[in-house]
Amino acid sequence: MKFYFRRDSGDNVAYCVYDESGKPAFLIKTNGQQLGLKLIVVTPHEVPVARLHILGMRELYHCGISIEGQTGMQVVLNPVSRQHPVRIRGRDWRFRGNLIDRSFDFVDSYGSLIMTHSSAYGVSGNDYVLVVPDERHALESVCIAAAVDCQEQILQPAPLPV
């Protein structure tokens, strides 16, 4: 399966996720909160299928992912770490690649490919391609990609009180 992430500027929409045929597969909506950021993954028919709650700063943050009918997982981003810039808790998946270039993949403990993620140079400049060989990991992969991609696109440094 292949998905295309396109940054959206619509009300409360962070990304539109398209399938290989160019049809919308998911919308990733934002719901800013006092403490952290909440993302909601919905189908084109506005049915919520996953929730992401992000706490932290651009340099280090934690994203809890809740998918309907599955055990939760967490994505921890630490871009300054050379050995573990992205860690997944709740799955036996390992990050490989370059977080800054958004060119990476995840493999399981047996070395089987879970997903690949890369930049796609589209009109918006913020487009990404996600390839998921096993359909069972599609929604999890979309959520992980959203958690990683929003690090630069959505989270802004908070103003410091004067």
Side-chain angles (χ1 to χ4, degrees), residues 70 73 86-95 105-109 112 114-115 136-141 144:
Q70 294 186 19
M73 66 178 150
V86 181
R87 284 186 274 157
I88 306 290
R89 294 182 182 150
R91 303 291 183 273
D92 66 346
W93 299 354
R94 186 171 39 95
F95 173 87
D105 64 20
F106 281 91
V107 294
D108 65 15
S109 58
S112 299
I114 301 295
M115 65 175 266
R136 294 176 299 164
H137 300 301
L139 185 54
E140 291 170 310
S141 297
I144 291 169

mmCIF file with all atom_site columns, all heavy atoms in Angstrom, residues 70 73 86-95 105-109 112 114-115 136-141 144:
data_model
loop_
_atom_site.group_PDB
_atom_site.id
_atom_site.type_symbol
_atom_site.label_atom_id
_atom_site.label_alt_id
_atom_site.label_comp_id
_atom_site.label_asym_id
_atom_site.label_entity_id
_atom_site.label_seq_id
_atom_site.pdbx_PDB_ins_code
_atom_site.Cartn_x
_atom_site.Cartn_y
_atom_site.Cartn_z
_atom_site.occupancy
_atom_site.B_iso_or_equiv
_atom_site.pdbx_formal_charge
_atom_site.auth_seq_id
_atom_site.auth_comp_id
_atom_site.auth_asym_id
_atom_site.auth_atom_id
_atom_site.pdbx_PDB_model_num
ATOM 1   N N   . GLN A 1 70  ? -7.086 -1.679  19.315 1.00 0.00 ? 70  GLN A N   1
ATOM 2   C CA  . GLN A 1 70  ? -5.699 -2.143  19.440 1.00 0.00 ? 70  GLN A CA  1
ATOM 3   C C   . GLN A 1 70  ? -5.099 -1.614  20.731 1.00 0.00 ? 70  GLN A C   1
ATOM 4   O O   . GLN A 1 70  ? -5.578 -0.630  21.294 1.00 0.00 ? 70  GLN A O   1
ATOM 5   C CB  . GLN A 1 70  ? -4.850 -1.646  18.267 1.00 0.00 ? 70  GLN A CB  1
ATOM 6   C CG  . GLN A 1 70  ? -5.235 -2.219  16.938 1.00 0.00 ? 70  GLN A CG  1
ATOM 7   C CD  . GLN A 1 70  ? -4.262 -1.784  15.853 1.00 0.00 ? 70  GLN A CD  1
ATOM 8   O OE1 . GLN A 1 70  ? -3.150 -1.355  16.125 1.00 0.00 ? 70  GLN A OE1 1
ATOM 9   N NE2 . GLN A 1 70  ? -4.695 -1.880  14.614 1.00 0.00 ? 70  GLN A NE2 1
ATOM 10  N N   . MET A 1 73  ? 0.275  2.598   21.713 1.00 0.00 ? 73  MET A N   1
ATOM 11  C CA  . MET A 1 73  ? 1.719  2.675   21.503 1.00 0.00 ? 73  MET A CA  1
ATOM 12  C C   . MET A 1 73  ? 2.140  4.113   21.676 1.00 0.00 ? 73  MET A C   1
ATOM 13  O O   . MET A 1 73  ? 1.319  5.028   21.647 1.00 0.00 ? 73  MET A O   1
ATOM 14  C CB  . MET A 1 73  ? 2.123  2.129   20.142 1.00 0.00 ? 73  MET A CB  1
ATOM 15  C CG  . MET A 1 73  ? 1.647  2.908   18.960 1.00 0.00 ? 73  MET A CG  1
ATOM 16  S SD  . MET A 1 73  ? 2.256  2.162   17.434 1.00 0.00 ? 73  MET A SD  1
ATOM 17  C CE  . MET A 1 73  ? 0.954  2.597   16.333 1.00 0.00 ? 73  MET A CE  1
ATOM 18  N N   . VAL A 1 86  ? 14.118 8.102   17.055 1.00 0.00 ? 86  VAL A N   1
ATOM 19  C CA  . VAL A 1 86  ? 12.701 7.746   17.150 1.00 0.00 ? 86  VAL A CA  1
ATOM 20  C C   . VAL A 1 86  ? 12.604 6.366   17.777 1.00 0.00 ? 86  VAL A C   1
ATOM 21  O O   . VAL A 1 86  ? 13.263 5.424   17.328 1.00 0.00 ? 86  VAL A O   1
ATOM 22  C CB  . VAL A 1 86  ? 12.009 7.727   15.761 1.00 0.00 ? 86  VAL A CB  1
ATOM 23  C CG1 . VAL A 1 86  ? 10.529 7.383   15.907 1.00 0.00 ? 86  VAL A CG1 1
ATOM 24  C CG2 . VAL A 1 86  ? 12.186 9.042   15.033 1.00 0.00 ? 86  VAL A CG2 1
ATOM 25  N N   . ARG A 1 87  ? 11.797 6.266   18.810 1.00 0.00 ? 87  ARG A N   1
ATOM 26  C CA  . ARG A 1 87  ? 11.547 4.970   19.433 1.00 0.00 ? 87  ARG A CA  1
ATOM 27  C C   . ARG A 1 87  ? 10.049 4.730   19.505 1.00 0.00 ? 87  ARG A C   1
ATOM 28  O O   . ARG A 1 87  ? 9.277  5.650   19.746 1.00 0.00 ? 87  ARG A O   1
ATOM 29  C CB  . ARG A 1 87  ? 12.138 4.913   20.839 1.00 0.00 ? 87  ARG A CB  1
ATOM 30  C CG  . ARG A 1 87  ? 13.635 4.737   20.802 1.00 0.00 ? 87  ARG A CG  1
ATOM 31  C CD  . ARG A 1 87  ? 14.189 4.528   22.164 1.00 0.00 ? 87  ARG A CD  1
ATOM 32  N NE  . ARG A 1 87  ? 14.427 5.861   22.717 1.00 0.00 ? 87  ARG A NE  1
ATOM 33  C CZ  . ARG A 1 87  ? 14.488 6.116   24.003 1.00 0.00 ? 87  ARG A CZ  1
ATOM 34  N NH1 . ARG A 1 87  ? 14.322 5.176   24.883 1.00 0.00 ? 87  ARG A NH1 1
ATOM 35  N NH2 . ARG A 1 87  ? 14.707 7.345   24.420 1.00 0.00 ? 87  ARG A NH2 1
ATOM 36  N N   . ILE A 1 88  ? 9.669  3.484   19.292 1.00 0.00 ? 88  ILE A N   1
ATOM 37  C CA  . ILE A 1 88  ? 8.268  3.084   19.384 1.00 0.00 ? 88  ILE A CA  1
ATOM 38  C C   . ILE A 1 88  ? 8.135  2.191   20.609 1.00 0.00 ? 88  ILE A C   1
ATOM 39  O O   . ILE A 1 88  ? 8.809  1.163   20.701 1.00 0.00 ? 88  ILE A O   1
ATOM 40  C CB  . ILE A 1 88  ? 7.813  2.287   18.136 1.00 0.00 ? 88  ILE A CB  1
ATOM 41  C CG1 . ILE A 1 88  ? 8.093  3.054   16.849 1.00 0.00 ? 88  ILE A CG1 1
ATOM 42  C CG2 . ILE A 1 88  ? 6.346  1.898   18.252 1.00 0.00 ? 88  ILE A CG2 1
ATOM 43  C CD1 . ILE A 1 88  ? 7.244  4.254   16.630 1.00 0.00 ? 88  ILE A CD1 1
ATOM 44  N N   . ARG A 1 89  ? 7.284  2.580   21.518 1.00 0.00 ? 89  ARG A N   1
ATOM 45  C CA  . ARG A 1 89  ? 6.993  1.731   22.680 1.00 0.00 ? 89  ARG A CA  1
ATOM 46  C C   . ARG A 1 89  ? 5.654  1.068   22.436 1.00 0.00 ? 89  ARG A C   1
ATOM 47  O O   . ARG A 1 89  ? 4.714  1.701   21.991 1.00 0.00 ? 89  ARG A O   1
ATOM 48  C CB  . ARG A 1 89  ? 6.952  2.568   23.947 1.00 0.00 ? 89  ARG A CB  1
ATOM 49  C CG  . ARG A 1 89  ? 8.289  3.156   24.293 1.00 0.00 ? 89  ARG A CG  1
ATOM 50  C CD  . ARG A 1 89  ? 8.228  3.935   25.574 1.00 0.00 ? 89  ARG A CD  1
ATOM 51  N NE  . ARG A 1 89  ? 9.528  4.520   25.853 1.00 0.00 ? 89  ARG A NE  1
ATOM 52  C CZ  . ARG A 1 89  ? 9.707  5.634   26.496 1.00 0.00 ? 89  ARG A CZ  1
ATOM 53  N NH1 . ARG A 1 89  ? 8.662  6.305   26.952 1.00 0.00 ? 89  ARG A NH1 1
ATOM 54  N NH2 . ARG A 1 89  ? 10.915 6.096   26.714 1.00 0.00 ? 89  ARG A NH2 1
ATOM 55  N N   . GLY A 1 90  ? 5.576  -0.215  22.706 1.00 0.00 ? 90  GLY A N   1
ATOM 56  C CA  . GLY A 1 90  ? 4.338  -0.956  22.477 1.00 0.00 ? 90  GLY A CA  1
ATOM 57  C C   . GLY A 1 90  ? 4.394  -1.805  21.217 1.00 0.00 ? 90  GLY A C   1
ATOM 58  O O   . GLY A 1 90  ? 3.470  -2.559  20.925 1.00 0.00 ? 90  GLY A O   1
ATOM 59  N N   . ARG A 1 91  ? 5.462  -1.690  20.445 1.00 0.00 ? 91  ARG A N   1
ATOM 60  C CA  . ARG A 1 91  ? 5.692  -2.516  19.253 1.00 0.00 ? 91  ARG A CA  1
ATOM 61  C C   . ARG A 1 91  ? 7.179  -2.858  19.235 1.00 0.00 ? 91  ARG A C   1
ATOM 62  O O   . ARG A 1 91  ? 8.002  -2.114  19.763 1.00 0.00 ? 91  ARG A O   1
ATOM 63  C CB  . ARG A 1 91  ? 5.343  -1.766  17.953 1.00 0.00 ? 91  ARG A CB  1
ATOM 64  C CG  . ARG A 1 91  ? 3.937  -1.239  17.851 1.00 0.00 ? 91  ARG A CG  1
ATOM 65  C CD  . ARG A 1 91  ? 2.913  -2.374  17.707 1.00 0.00 ? 91  ARG A CD  1
ATOM 66  N NE  . ARG A 1 91  ? 1.563  -1.872  17.547 1.00 0.00 ? 91  ARG A NE  1
ATOM 67  C CZ  . ARG A 1 91  ? 0.744  -1.568  18.534 1.00 0.00 ? 91  ARG A CZ  1
ATOM 68  N NH1 . ARG A 1 91  ? 1.137  -1.665  19.781 1.00 0.00 ? 91  ARG A NH1 1
ATOM 69  N NH2 . ARG A 1 91  ? -0.480 -1.140  18.307 1.00 0.00 ? 91  ARG A NH2 1
ATOM 70  N N   . ASP A 1 92  ? 7.524  -3.943  18.586 1.00 0.00 ? 92  ASP A N   1
ATOM 71  C CA  . ASP A 1 92  ? 8.941  -4.339  18.502 1.00 0.00 ? 92  ASP A CA  1
ATOM 72  C C   . ASP A 1 92  ? 9.568  -3.788  17.217 1.00 0.00 ? 92  ASP A C   1
ATOM 73  O O   . ASP A 1 92  ? 10.316 -4.465  16.541 1.00 0.00 ? 92  ASP A O   1
ATOM 74  C CB  . ASP A 1 92  ? 9.089  -5.861  18.583 1.00 0.00 ? 92  ASP A CB  1
ATOM 75  C CG  . ASP A 1 92  ? 8.483  -6.578  17.385 1.00 0.00 ? 92  ASP A CG  1
ATOM 76  O OD1 . ASP A 1 92  ? 7.714  -5.947  16.621 1.00 0.00 ? 92  ASP A OD1 1
ATOM 77  O OD2 . ASP A 1 92  ? 8.778  -7.770  17.199 1.00 0.00 ? 92  ASP A OD2 1
ATOM 78  N N   . TRP A 1 93  ? 9.265  -2.549  16.905 1.00 0.00 ? 93  TRP A N   1
ATOM 79  C CA  . TRP A 1 93  ? 9.734  -1.936  15.667 1.00 0.00 ? 93  TRP A CA  1
ATOM 80  C C   . TRP A 1 93  ? 10.947 -1.064  15.936 1.00 0.00 ? 93  TRP A C   1
ATOM 81  O O   . TRP A 1 93  ? 11.034 -0.398  16.965 1.00 0.00 ? 93  TRP A O   1
ATOM 82  C CB  . TRP A 1 93  ? 8.640  -1.099  15.038 1.00 0.00 ? 93  TRP A CB  1
ATOM 83  C CG  . TRP A 1 93  ? 7.418  -1.886  14.666 1.00 0.00 ? 93  TRP A CG  1
ATOM 84  C CD1 . TRP A 1 93  ? 7.253  -3.233  14.728 1.00 0.00 ? 93  TRP A CD1 1
ATOM 85  C CD2 . TRP A 1 93  ? 6.186  -1.358  14.194 1.00 0.00 ? 93  TRP A CD2 1
ATOM 86  N NE1 . TRP A 1 93  ? 5.989  -3.587  14.310 1.00 0.00 ? 93  TRP A NE1 1
ATOM 87  C CE2 . TRP A 1 93  ? 5.316  -2.445  13.979 1.00 0.00 ? 93  TRP A CE2 1
ATOM 88  C CE3 . TRP A 1 93  ? 5.729  -0.088  13.935 1.00 0.00 ? 93  TRP A CE3 1
ATOM 89  C CZ2 . TRP A 1 93  ? 4.019  -2.287  13.505 1.00 0.00 ? 93  TRP A CZ2 1
ATOM 90  C CZ3 . TRP A 1 93  ? 4.438  0.064   13.458 1.00 0.00 ? 93  TRP A CZ3 1
ATOM 91  C CH2 . TRP A 1 93  ? 3.599  -1.026  13.246 1.00 0.00 ? 93  TRP A CH2 1
ATOM 92  N N   . ARG A 1 94  ? 11.847 -1.047  14.978 1.00 0.00 ? 94  ARG A N   1
ATOM 93  C CA  . ARG A 1 94  ? 13.093 -0.292  15.096 1.00 0.00 ? 94  ARG A CA  1
ATOM 94  C C   . ARG A 1 94  ? 13.202 0.712   13.950 1.00 0.00 ? 94  ARG A C   1
ATOM 95  O O   . ARG A 1 94  ? 12.950 0.393   12.798 1.00 0.00 ? 94  ARG A O   1
ATOM 96  C CB  . ARG A 1 94  ? 14.271 -1.272  15.058 1.00 0.00 ? 94  ARG A CB  1
ATOM 97  C CG  . ARG A 1 94  ? 15.608 -0.660  15.314 1.00 0.00 ? 94  ARG A CG  1
ATOM 98  C CD  . ARG A 1 94  ? 16.684 -1.740  15.464 1.00 0.00 ? 94  ARG A CD  1
ATOM 99  N NE  . ARG A 1 94  ? 16.527 -2.855  14.547 1.00 0.00 ? 94  ARG A NE  1
ATOM 100 C CZ  . ARG A 1 94  ? 17.139 -2.952  13.368 1.00 0.00 ? 94  ARG A CZ  1
ATOM 101 N NH1 . ARG A 1 94  ? 17.938 -2.018  12.958 1.00 0.00 ? 94  ARG A NH1 1
ATOM 102 N NH2 . ARG A 1 94  ? 16.960 -4.011  12.610 1.00 0.00 ? 94  ARG A NH2 1
ATOM 103 N N   . PHE A 1 95  ? 13.607 1.928   14.297 1.00 0.00 ? 95  PHE A N   1
ATOM 104 C CA  . PHE A 1 95  ? 13.776 3.020   13.350 1.00 0.00 ? 95  PHE A CA  1
ATOM 105 C C   . PHE A 1 95  ? 15.117 2.879   12.641 1.00 0.00 ? 95  PHE A C   1
ATOM 106 O O   . PHE A 1 95  ? 16.130 2.569   13.261 1.00 0.00 ? 95  PHE A O   1
ATOM 107 C CB  . PHE A 1 95  ? 13.742 4.354   14.121 1.00 0.00 ? 95  PHE A CB  1
ATOM 108 C CG  . PHE A 1 95  ? 14.062 5.563   13.298 1.00 0.00 ? 95  PHE A CG  1
ATOM 109 C CD1 . PHE A 1 95  ? 13.074 6.222   12.592 1.00 0.00 ? 95  PHE A CD1 1
ATOM 110 C CD2 . PHE A 1 95  ? 15.359 6.059   13.245 1.00 0.00 ? 95  PHE A CD2 1
ATOM 111 C CE1 . PHE A 1 95  ? 13.367 7.357   11.847 1.00 0.00 ? 95  PHE A CE1 1
ATOM 112 C CE2 . PHE A 1 95  ? 15.663 7.190   12.509 1.00 0.00 ? 95  PHE A CE2 1
ATOM 113 C CZ  . PHE A 1 95  ? 14.660 7.832   11.808 1.00 0.00 ? 95  PHE A CZ  1
ATOM 114 N N   . ASP A 1 105 ? 12.720 4.224   7.634  1.00 0.00 ? 105 ASP A N   1
ATOM 115 C CA  . ASP A 1 105 ? 11.794 3.098   7.652  1.00 0.00 ? 105 ASP A CA  1
ATOM 116 C C   . ASP A 1 105 ? 11.761 2.499   9.045  1.00 0.00 ? 105 ASP A C   1
ATOM 117 O O   . ASP A 1 105 ? 12.518 2.896   9.924  1.00 0.00 ? 105 ASP A O   1
ATOM 118 C CB  . ASP A 1 105 ? 12.136 2.052   6.583  1.00 0.00 ? 105 ASP A CB  1
ATOM 119 C CG  . ASP A 1 105 ? 13.482 1.373   6.772  1.00 0.00 ? 105 ASP A CG  1
ATOM 120 O OD1 . ASP A 1 105 ? 14.036 1.393   7.887  1.00 0.00 ? 105 ASP A OD1 1
ATOM 121 O OD2 . ASP A 1 105 ? 13.991 0.807   5.797  1.00 0.00 ? 105 ASP A OD2 1
ATOM 122 N N   . PHE A 1 106 ? 10.855 1.557   9.232  1.00 0.00 ? 106 PHE A N   1
ATOM 123 C CA  . PHE A 1 106 ? 10.761 0.789   10.467 1.00 0.00 ? 106 PHE A CA  1
ATOM 124 C C   . PHE A 1 106 ? 10.761 -0.681  10.090 1.00 0.00 ? 106 PHE A C   1
ATOM 125 O O   . PHE A 1 106 ? 10.123 -1.076  9.109  1.00 0.00 ? 106 PHE A O   1
ATOM 126 C CB  . PHE A 1 106 ? 9.470  1.115   11.227 1.00 0.00 ? 106 PHE A CB  1
ATOM 127 C CG  . PHE A 1 106 ? 9.532  2.401   11.990 1.00 0.00 ? 106 PHE A CG  1
ATOM 128 C CD1 . PHE A 1 106 ? 9.124  3.583   11.408 1.00 0.00 ? 106 PHE A CD1 1
ATOM 129 C CD2 . PHE A 1 106 ? 10.013 2.430   13.289 1.00 0.00 ? 106 PHE A CD2 1
ATOM 130 C CE1 . PHE A 1 106 ? 9.188  4.778   12.097 1.00 0.00 ? 106 PHE A CE1 1
ATOM 131 C CE2 . PHE A 1 106 ? 10.088 3.623   13.998 1.00 0.00 ? 106 PHE A CE2 1
ATOM 132 C CZ  . PHE A 1 106 ? 9.666  4.796   13.394 1.00 0.00 ? 106 PHE A CZ  1
ATOM 133 N N   . VAL A 1 107 ? 11.487 -1.468  10.870 1.00 0.00 ? 107 VAL A N   1
ATOM 134 C CA  . VAL A 1 107 ? 11.505 -2.916  10.702 1.00 0.00 ? 107 VAL A CA  1
ATOM 135 C C   . VAL A 1 107 ? 11.152 -3.543  12.041 1.00 0.00 ? 107 VAL A C   1
ATOM 136 O O   . VAL A 1 107 ? 11.332 -2.923  13.096 1.00 0.00 ? 107 VAL A O   1
ATOM 137 C CB  . VAL A 1 107 ? 12.874 -3.434  10.205 1.00 0.00 ? 107 VAL A CB  1
ATOM 138 C CG1 . VAL A 1 107 ? 13.171 -2.941  8.799  1.00 0.00 ? 107 VAL A CG1 1
ATOM 139 C CG2 . VAL A 1 107 ? 13.992 -3.043  11.163 1.00 0.00 ? 107 VAL A CG2 1
ATOM 140 N N   . ASP A 1 108 ? 10.647 -4.776  12.002 1.00 0.00 ? 108 ASP A N   1
ATOM 141 C CA  . ASP A 1 108 ? 10.354 -5.456  13.256 1.00 0.00 ? 108 ASP A CA  1
ATOM 142 C C   . ASP A 1 108 ? 11.595 -6.189  13.751 1.00 0.00 ? 108 ASP A C   1
ATOM 143 O O   . ASP A 1 108 ? 12.667 -6.089  13.141 1.00 0.00 ? 108 ASP A O   1
ATOM 144 C CB  . ASP A 1 108 ? 9.140  -6.376  13.117 1.00 0.00 ? 108 ASP A CB  1
ATOM 145 C CG  . ASP A 1 108 ? 9.348  -7.537  12.170 1.00 0.00 ? 108 ASP A CG  1
ATOM 146 O OD1 . ASP A 1 108 ? 10.506 -7.850  11.807 1.00 0.00 ? 108 ASP A OD1 1
ATOM 147 O OD2 . ASP A 1 108 ? 8.340  -8.157  11.781 1.00 0.00 ? 108 ASP A OD2 1
ATOM 148 N N   . SER A 1 109 ? 11.462 -6.940  14.826 1.00 0.00 ? 109 SER A N   1
ATOM 149 C CA  . SER A 1 109 ? 12.618 -7.604  15.440 1.00 0.00 ? 109 SER A CA  1
ATOM 150 C C   . SER A 1 109 ? 13.214 -8.687  14.542 1.00 0.00 ? 109 SER A C   1
ATOM 151 O O   . SER A 1 109 ? 14.347 -9.107  14.748 1.00 0.00 ? 109 SER A O   1
ATOM 152 C CB  . SER A 1 109 ? 12.235 -8.203  16.792 1.00 0.00 ? 109 SER A CB  1
ATOM 153 O OG  . SER A 1 109 ? 11.179 -9.127  16.625 1.00 0.00 ? 109 SER A OG  1
ATOM 154 N N   . SER A 1 112 ? 11.852 -7.662  9.219  1.00 0.00 ? 112 SER A N   1
ATOM 155 C CA  . SER A 1 112 ? 10.819 -7.492  8.190  1.00 0.00 ? 112 SER A CA  1
ATOM 156 C C   . SER A 1 112 ? 10.405 -6.025  8.115  1.00 0.00 ? 112 SER A C   1
ATOM 157 O O   . SER A 1 112 ? 10.189 -5.376  9.143  1.00 0.00 ? 112 SER A O   1
ATOM 158 C CB  . SER A 1 112 ? 9.593  -8.341  8.502  1.00 0.00 ? 112 SER A CB  1
ATOM 159 O OG  . SER A 1 112 ? 9.934  -9.706  8.535  1.00 0.00 ? 112 SER A OG  1
ATOM 160 N N   . ILE A 1 114 ? 8.257  -2.857  7.933  1.00 0.00 ? 114 ILE A N   1
ATOM 161 C CA  . ILE A 1 114 ? 6.919  -2.446  8.360  1.00 0.00 ? 114 ILE A CA  1
ATOM 162 C C   . ILE A 1 114 ? 6.432  -1.297  7.488  1.00 0.00 ? 114 ILE A C   1
ATOM 163 O O   . ILE A 1 114 ? 5.307  -1.302  7.003  1.00 0.00 ? 114 ILE A O   1
ATOM 164 C CB  . ILE A 1 114 ? 6.906  -2.017  9.841  1.00 0.00 ? 114 ILE A CB  1
ATOM 165 C CG1 . ILE A 1 114 ? 7.365  -3.170  10.742 1.00 0.00 ? 114 ILE A CG1 1
ATOM 166 C CG2 . ILE A 1 114 ? 5.544  -1.498  10.258 1.00 0.00 ? 114 ILE A CG2 1
ATOM 167 C CD1 . ILE A 1 114 ? 6.446  -4.376  10.738 1.00 0.00 ? 114 ILE A CD1 1
ATOM 168 N N   . MET A 1 115 ? 7.292  -0.283  7.300  1.00 0.00 ? 115 MET A N   1
ATOM 169 C CA  . MET A 1 115 ? 6.923  0.883   6.509  1.00 0.00 ? 115 MET A CA  1
ATOM 170 C C   . MET A 1 115 ? 8.164  1.632   6.066  1.00 0.00 ? 115 MET A C   1
ATOM 171 O O   . MET A 1 115 ? 9.207  1.527   6.694  1.00 0.00 ? 115 MET A O   1
ATOM 172 C CB  . MET A 1 115 ? 6.046  1.837   7.328  1.00 0.00 ? 115 MET A CB  1
ATOM 173 C CG  . MET A 1 115 ? 6.766  2.454   8.519  1.00 0.00 ? 115 MET A CG  1
ATOM 174 S SD  . MET A 1 115 ? 5.817  3.690   9.424  1.00 0.00 ? 115 MET A SD  1
ATOM 175 C CE  . MET A 1 115 ? 6.379  5.175   8.637  1.00 0.00 ? 115 MET A CE  1
ATOM 176 N N   . ARG A 1 136 ? -2.093 -4.799  7.256  1.00 0.00 ? 136 ARG A N   1
ATOM 177 C CA  . ARG A 1 136 ? -2.419 -4.816  8.687  1.00 0.00 ? 136 ARG A CA  1
ATOM 178 C C   . ARG A 1 136 ? -1.745 -3.673  9.451  1.00 0.00 ? 136 ARG A C   1
ATOM 179 O O   . ARG A 1 136 ? -2.204 -3.284  10.510 1.00 0.00 ? 136 ARG A O   1
ATOM 180 C CB  . ARG A 1 136 ? -1.992 -6.140  9.328  1.00 0.00 ? 136 ARG A CB  1
ATOM 181 C CG  . ARG A 1 136 ? -2.760 -7.347  8.828  1.00 0.00 ? 136 ARG A CG  1
ATOM 182 C CD  . ARG A 1 136 ? -2.221 -8.598  9.436  1.00 0.00 ? 136 ARG A CD  1
ATOM 183 N NE  . ARG A 1 136 ? -0.810 -8.740  9.028  1.00 0.00 ? 136 ARG A NE  1
ATOM 184 C CZ  . ARG A 1 136 ? 0.057  -9.546  9.613  1.00 0.00 ? 136 ARG A CZ  1
ATOM 185 N NH1 . ARG A 1 136 ? -0.307 -10.282 10.628 1.00 0.00 ? 136 ARG A NH1 1
ATOM 186 N NH2 . ARG A 1 136 ? 1.292  -9.626  9.178  1.00 0.00 ? 136 ARG A NH2 1
ATOM 187 N N   . HIS A 1 137 ? -0.653 -3.151  8.914  1.00 0.00 ? 137 HIS A N   1
ATOM 188 C CA  . HIS A 1 137 ? 0.084  -2.092  9.595  1.00 0.00 ? 137 HIS A CA  1
ATOM 189 C C   . HIS A 1 137 ? -0.213 -0.705  9.017  1.00 0.00 ? 137 HIS A C   1
ATOM 190 O O   . HIS A 1 137 ? 0.458  0.264   9.383  1.00 0.00 ? 137 HIS A O   1
ATOM 191 C CB  . HIS A 1 137 ? 1.587  -2.354  9.513  1.00 0.00 ? 137 HIS A CB  1
ATOM 192 C CG  . HIS A 1 137 ? 2.001  -3.644  10.135 1.00 0.00 ? 137 HIS A CG  1
ATOM 193 N ND1 . HIS A 1 137 ? 1.769  -3.938  11.464 1.00 0.00 ? 137 HIS A ND1 1
ATOM 194 C CD2 . HIS A 1 137 ? 2.627  -4.719  9.618  1.00 0.00 ? 137 HIS A CD2 1
ATOM 195 C CE1 . HIS A 1 137 ? 2.235  -5.146  11.733 1.00 0.00 ? 137 HIS A CE1 1
ATOM 196 N NE2 . HIS A 1 137 ? 2.757  -5.641  10.632 1.00 0.00 ? 137 HIS A NE2 1
ATOM 197 N N   . ALA A 1 138 ? -1.214 -0.608  8.163  1.00 0.00 ? 138 ALA A N   1
ATOM 198 C CA  . ALA A 1 138 ? -1.472 0.660   7.472  1.00 0.00 ? 138 ALA A CA  1
ATOM 199 C C   . ALA A 1 138 ? -1.827 1.792   8.431  1.00 0.00 ? 138 ALA A C   1
ATOM 200 O O   . ALA A 1 138 ? -1.194 2.851   8.408  1.00 0.00 ? 138 ALA A O   1
ATOM 201 C CB  . ALA A 1 138 ? -2.574 0.479   6.433  1.00 0.00 ? 138 ALA A CB  1
ATOM 202 N N   . LEU A 1 139 ? -2.802 1.605   9.286  1.00 0.00 ? 139 LEU A N   1
ATOM 203 C CA  . LEU A 1 139 ? -3.233 2.686   10.165 1.00 0.00 ? 139 LEU A CA  1
ATOM 204 C C   . LEU A 1 139 ? -2.151 3.033   11.191 1.00 0.00 ? 139 LEU A C   1
ATOM 205 O O   . LEU A 1 139 ? -1.903 4.212   11.465 1.00 0.00 ? 139 LEU A O   1
ATOM 206 C CB  . LEU A 1 139 ? -4.549 2.334   10.859 1.00 0.00 ? 139 LEU A CB  1
ATOM 207 C CG  . LEU A 1 139 ? -5.162 3.436   11.716 1.00 0.00 ? 139 LEU A CG  1
ATOM 208 C CD1 . LEU A 1 139 ? -5.345 4.734   10.928 1.00 0.00 ? 139 LEU A CD1 1
ATOM 209 C CD2 . LEU A 1 139 ? -6.498 2.969   12.286 1.00 0.00 ? 139 LEU A CD2 1
ATOM 210 N N   . GLU A 1 140 ? -1.493 2.020   11.745 1.00 0.00 ? 140 GLU A N   1
ATOM 211 C CA  . GLU A 1 140 ? -0.390 2.286   12.673 1.00 0.00 ? 140 GLU A CA  1
ATOM 212 C C   . GLU A 1 140 ? 0.698  3.106   11.991 1.00 0.00 ? 140 GLU A C   1
ATOM 213 O O   . GLU A 1 140 ? 1.223  4.058   12.565 1.00 0.00 ? 140 GLU A O   1
ATOM 214 C CB  . GLU A 1 140 ? 0.229  0.976   13.168 1.00 0.00 ? 140 GLU A CB  1
ATOM 215 C CG  . GLU A 1 140 ? -0.660 0.167   14.079 1.00 0.00 ? 140 GLU A CG  1
ATOM 216 C CD  . GLU A 1 140 ? -0.087 -1.213  14.327 1.00 0.00 ? 140 GLU A CD  1
ATOM 217 O OE1 . GLU A 1 140 ? 0.270  -1.889  13.344 1.00 0.00 ? 140 GLU A OE1 1
ATOM 218 O OE2 . GLU A 1 140 ? 0.017  -1.589  15.502 1.00 0.00 ? 140 GLU A OE2 1
ATOM 219 N N   . SER A 1 141 ? 1.021  2.754   10.766 1.00 0.00 ? 141 SER A N   1
ATOM 220 C CA  . SER A 1 141 ? 2.059  3.464   10.020 1.00 0.00 ? 141 SER A CA  1
ATOM 221 C C   . SER A 1 141 ? 1.656  4.898   9.716  1.00 0.00 ? 141 SER A C   1
ATOM 222 O O   . SER A 1 141 ? 2.480  5.811   9.805  1.00 0.00 ? 141 SER A O   1
ATOM 223 C CB  . SER A 1 141 ? 2.386  2.717   8.723  1.00 0.00 ? 141 SER A CB  1
ATOM 224 O OG  . SER A 1 141 ? 2.908  1.435   9.016  1.00 0.00 ? 141 SER A OG  1
ATOM 225 N N   . ILE A 1 144 ? 2.129  6.811   12.968 1.00 0.00 ? 144 ILE A N   1
ATOM 226 C CA  . ILE A 1 144 ? 3.535  7.058   13.261 1.00 0.00 ? 144 ILE A CA  1
ATOM 227 C C   . ILE A 1 144 ? 4.086  8.146   12.347 1.00 0.00 ? 144 ILE A C   1
ATOM 228 O O   . ILE A 1 144 ? 4.793  9.055   12.788 1.00 0.00 ? 144 ILE A O   1
ATOM 229 C CB  . ILE A 1 144 ? 4.349  5.757   13.147 1.00 0.00 ? 144 ILE A CB  1
ATOM 230 C CG1 . ILE A 1 144 ? 3.962  4.810   14.276 1.00 0.00 ? 144 ILE A CG1 1
ATOM 231 C CG2 . ILE A 1 144 ? 5.848  6.048   13.167 1.00 0.00 ? 144 ILE A CG2 1
ATOM 232 C CD1 . ILE A 1 144 ? 4.502  3.404   14.118 1.00 0.00 ? 144 ILE A CD1 1
#
